[in-house]
């Protein structure tokens, strides 16, 4: 069985990585699909996000990392999977994710969405929370893989460096 785990992953958090590891233990192959959304301005380029996820999942032999744009169901079809993996942190996520799952089923009824709940100690994490903490110099080592923490430090140091005189 093969599953697709789509998302923007800007940046990858330990909550995402937890879902990747747990999802990979349930299927023969897990494809992490990084969305390139032209409507958003990500902190990291698509190439950086692909590199971060690849480095963070190299210990998992059945995980591959790709990029896509457009509909998730189109990507899933292209990858030859009918199973879409999504994570839930809180009840508020459920309403949104259920709507997306129903939309995907309306577009392609052969697809199933499987939800995994985030481990409790990662339930507070979101990419936007991580970026906010990093922006103001807070510790993020317990929120993201090392490669992401290093990239965030570089991003915010360069983005918010005082002008040189």
């Amino acid at each position: 069985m093969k599953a697709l785990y789509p998302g923007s992953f800007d940046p990858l958090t330990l909550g995402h990585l937890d879902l990747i590891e747990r999802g990979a233990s349930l299927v023969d192959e897990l494809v992490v699909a990084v969305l390139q959304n032209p409507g958003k301005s990500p902190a990291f380029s698509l190439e950086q996000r692909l590199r971060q996820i690849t480095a963070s999942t190299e210990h998992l032999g059945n995980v591959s990392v790709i990029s896509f744009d457009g509909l998730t169901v189109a990507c899933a079809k292209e990858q030859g999977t009918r199973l879409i993996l999504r994570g839930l942190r809180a009840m508020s996520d459920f309403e949104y994710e259920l709507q997306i799952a129903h939309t995907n089923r309306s577009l392609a009824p052969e697809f199933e969405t499987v939800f995994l709940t985030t481990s409790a100690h990662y339930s507070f994490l979101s990419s936007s929370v991580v970026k906010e903490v990093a922006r103001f110099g807070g510790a993020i080592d317990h929120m993201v893989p090392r490669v992401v923490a290093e990239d965030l430090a570089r991003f915010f140091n360069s983005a918010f460096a005082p002008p040189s005189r």
Side-chain angles (χ1 to χ4, degrees):
M1 185 183 302
K2 184 176 181 180
L4 184 80
Y5 179 38
S8 58
F9 305 105
D10 184 46
L12 177 74
T13 69
L14 291 178
H16 293 130
L17 188 57
D18 175 59
L19 288 174
I20 292 168
E21 290 171 344
R22 290 170 46 222
S25 75
L26 298 172
V27 296
D28 299 317
E29 183 180 352
L30 180 65
V31 179
V32 179
V34 182
L35 176 63
Q36 181 165 345
N37 186 342
K40 289 188 175 183
S41 300
F44 294 117
S45 70
L46 178 64
E47 293 75 23
Q48 287 173 303
R49 289 178 281 150
L50 291 168
R51 180 185 52 77
Q52 291 167 349
I53 298 167
T54 300
S56 300
T57 59
E58 64 187 2
H59 65 287
L60 301 169
N62 65 335
V63 172
S64 58
V65 183
I66 64 161
S67 65
F68 78 105
D69 58 8
L71 296 172
T72 299
V73 291
C75 179
K77 277 181 190 174
E78 187 176 293
Q79 291 301 309
T81 181
R82 295 183 1 191
L83 188 63
I84 299 169
L85 174 67
R86 298 297 295 163
L88 298 173
R89 291 173 298 192
M91 281 302 293
S92 56
D93 287 346
F94 181 73
E95 285 187 37
Y96 172 77
E97 292 295 344
L98 184 63
Q99 181 181 23
I100 297 301
H102 286 313
T103 301
N104 287 339
R105 287 282 296 213
S106 77
L107 296 169
E110 68 273 20
F111 288 94
E112 294 291 345
T113 300
V114 174
F115 299 107
L116 286 181
T117 57
T118 304
S119 294
H121 56 281
Y122 297 128
S123 63
F124 71 97
L125 283 178
S126 70
S127 294
S128 50
V129 164
V130 168
K131 286 185 280 193
E132 191 72 8
V133 172
R135 171 180 285 122
F136 293 106
I140 57 169
D141 299 27
H142 63 293
M143 298 180 185
V144 295
R146 182 181 183 135
V147 64
V148 175
E150 291 168 355
D151 285 350
L152 280 166
R154 276 191 294 280
F155 178 79
F156 285 116
N157 283 336
S158 64
F160 295 98
S164 56
R165 294 184 186 216

